[in-house]
Amino acid sequence: MKAYRLLTEEDTSAFCHKVTEALNKGWVLHGSPSYAFDASTGKMRCAQAVTKEAEGDYSPEVKLGAL
């Protein structure tokens, strides 16, 4: 199966660490990162899609972060 995740975080080093951790677990960048203002918090947020080939079949019970 091909798994997809959208990683999001405030615009801090925590976002870079989240993406770096995913890459080191075998996830691959998918597309360009996004950067937007979150009016509810007054802060900028980042997003990056990642994909990964994983064994097994997809089901809604799959814990994507555990792949």
Side-chain angles (χ1 to χ4, degrees):
M1 94 168 150
K2 187 165 199 166
Y4 170 91
R5 292 175 66 196
L6 181 64
L7 305 175
T8 63
E9 185 67 53
E10 287 183 7
D11 182 23
T12 67
S13 63
F15 175 73
C16 294
H17 287 284
K18 186 181 278 191
V19 174
T20 298
E21 179 182 24
L23 294 174
N24 281 281
K25 289 183 175 181
W27 293 84
V28 177
L29 298 177
H30 181 81
S32 299
S34 296
Y35 191 61
F37 181 70
D38 182 348
S40 66
T41 63
K43 297 181 180 179
M44 295 301 290
R45 292 193 62 85
C46 301
Q48 174 65 59
V50 292
T51 61
K52 182 178 186 179
E53 288 292 335
E55 295 205 11
D57 295 323
Y58 171 76
S59 78
E61 289 78 37
V62 171
K63 301 296 182 199
L64 298 172
L67 293 178

